[in-house]
Amino acid sequence: METAKNTSKISSLLKEKPVEKISDYQSNKLLLFTNDFLEQYINVPVNIDDRTMRTETLAKLYATELKQDDLSNFEGYRELKSKTYFSTVEYKDMAIVQYDVTYNNVGLVEKERKKKEKYKDGKTEKIREVVEKYQEKEIKKVHALINIPVRSVDGGYTVIENVFFTQVPKLSTNKTKPVENKMDVEQKPEISATEKDNVEAFLQDFFKRYASTSVDDLAYMMKKPEALNGLKEFQEIIYFKAYEQKKQILVKVSLIFKDTGSTMTNTEDFSLTLSKKDGKYFIEKLTHTLGGN
């Protein structure tokens, strides 16, 4: 009887809990639609019949009566080389889906060249020079951000306005400082020199094992074991600070790893919280940063 009551109570709570609806413009279905549209839109075939088929396909993706571009004067073809989803800018009743695209505009330019051909003058075979017409490709590579205005209607999507192109924005900036060891910035005192030497010796051993062994092998040294399992080789510690914190030791280190079987090296940062029992250190927490605790 008690189980039945509990089941009924849970069912009631589930009914009362509001269901968070995912916006149509945050759904993966939108990206499936815009991916398909992008392939159809960017790729323009050279053949007239294929272009007609492209127009008919796009008509099903455009809003009713939205006029398509006139490509009758485009001699050549256009081909999509790469596309990467960039972002979605959502408005009240529509969204603009952006892709970073690279495509080639391929022009077919008619040119002339001279070539030699054989011909017969009576029974004599002779060679003459003739002018031959041919088409040469002129490829113009374009890298841009394409913006696709889309509206969701009854669970489906449609392109409601002409797409437009903008420059791909610069995503990098150097207007910030790197993550720092806050304990050092705040000039917190370090542990004693003797304790620090002991901690460093422990870390030398730990990071050798961390690089070369498996998670299971580190279970006795860490609360939440993790390991590289031979992916890297530990080289050296190049930055090391240790502070007493709530009867534990907070360590900040930067060290160098080397790719196994290569001379390629990389620097990594760690913050570790150590406890000590019976003269042995144990890693209570490990994070991949010099910041935080």
Side-chain angles (χ1 to χ4, degrees):
M1 181 67 83
E2 189 66 29
T3 304
K5 284 182 180 179
N6 288 340
T7 305
S8 177
K9 188 176 180 181
I10 292 168
S11 298
S12 242
L13 289 170
L14 288 172
K15 287 177 184 177
E16 289 172 13
K17 186 179 178 182
V19 178
E20 293 183 10
K21 184 180 182 299
I22 297 174
S23 164
D24 288 339
Y25 302 113
Q26 295 172 353
S27 170
N28 193 51
K29 292 186 295 182
L30 172 63
L31 299 186
L32 292 173
F33 171 80
T34 50
N35 260 298
D36 181 40
F37 172 82
L38 190 57
E39 291 279 351
Q40 300 295 336
Y41 178 82
I42 293 292
N43 289 305
V44 179
V46 67
N47 182 277
I48 296 298
D49 290 338
D50 291 337
R51 285 193 185 186
T52 301
M53 188 179 296
R54 170 185 178 273
T55 300
E56 292 171 353
T57 301
L58 284 175
K60 298 172 184 176
L61 305 176
Y62 277 119
T64 306
E65 298 180 8
L66 181 59
K67 189 176 180 181
Q68 295 188 43
D69 295 322
D70 180 7
L71 301 177
S72 58
N73 292 323
F74 177 40
E75 296 179 358
Y77 59 95
R78 184 169 69 189
E79 60 180 356
L80 179 65
K81 303 304 291 183
S82 68
K83 68 178 186 297
T84 304
Y85 170 71
F86 189 82
S87 70
T88 298
V89 183
E90 189 173 344
Y91 298 93
K92 185 179 179 181
D93 63 345
M94 64 165 289
I96 293 179
V97 185
Q98 301 174 311
Y99 286 84
D100 181 332
V101 296
T102 301
Y103 61 88
N104 286 340
N105 279 324
V106 184
L108 300 175
V109 182
E110 190 172 276
K111 292 191 174 184
E112 294 181 346
R113 60 188 170 198
K114 292 179 180 179
K115 74 169 190 176
K116 293 180 179 180
E117 70 171 15
K118 294 178 181 179
Y119 73 100
K120 282 192 175 182
D121 182 5
K123 293 184 178 180
T124 306
E125 189 175 82
K126 295 183 178 180
I127 296 176
R128 62 186 173 193
E129 196 173 72
V130 295
V131 175
E132 177 187 53
K133 290 184 178 181
Y134 69 100
Q135 287 186 325
E136 186 174 279
K137 292 181 181 179
E138 289 189 352
I139 300 173
K140 172 65 176 178
K141 183 179 179 180
V142 180
H143 179 214
L145 200 70
I146 185 172
N147 300 263
I148 309 171
V150 178
R151 178 171 292 152
S152 172
V153 182
D154 298 330
Y157 298 96
T158 184
V159 176
I160 58 171
E161 200 169 2
N162 289 315
V163 304
F164 60 95
F165 292 86
T166 53
Q167 284 190 322
V168 178
K170 184 180 177 182
L171 299 179
S172 61
T173 178
N174 57 7
K175 295 179 181 179
T176 186
K177 291 182 178 180
V179 173
E180 296 178 292
N181 174 7
K182 293 180 181 178
M183 304 292 283
D184 202 24
V185 172
E186 295 169 5
Q187 298 183 329
K188 299 288 186 182
E190 290 193 74
I191 57 179
S192 69
T194 302
E195 184 81 21
K196 192 175 177 182
D197 287 343
N198 292 336
V199 170
E200 184 172 10
F202 167 76
L203 292 179
Q204 291 279 355
D205 178 59
F206 166 72
F207 280 114
K208 286 178 184 176
R209 296 173 186 273
Y210 172 86
S212 62
T213 61
S214 67
V215 170
D216 292 340
D217 294 327
L218 292 180
Y220 74 99
M221 299 180 79
M222 304 178 72
K223 190 171 185 178
K224 292 184 177 179
E226 62 175 89
L228 295 178
N229 200 25
L231 180 67
K232 301 276 186 179
E233 294 175 14
F234 169 69
Q235 297 293 287
E236 62 177 320
I237 294 174
I238 57 173
Y239 174 89
F240 170 56
K241 295 288 182 77
Y243 313 87
E244 189 171 342
Q245 189 178 66
K246 298 176 183 179
K247 296 183 179 181
Q248 295 180 325
I249 298 173
L250 176 63
V251 181
K252 304 284 186 176
V253 291
S254 295
L255 47 96
I256 294 176
F257 287 115
K258 181 174 77 73
D259 284 354
T260 302
S262 169
T263 56
M264 176 65 72
T265 60
N266 68 288
T267 303
E268 296 191 18
D269 303 316
F270 294 85
S271 291
L272 304 98
T273 301
L274 309 182
S275 61
K276 191 176 183 182
K277 188 176 181 180
D278 299 329
K280 293 183 179 180
Y281 296 107
F282 183 79
I283 299 172
E284 299 287 346
K285 183 180 178 182
L286 180 150
T287 55
H288 296 263
T289 177
L290 280 180
N293 295 327

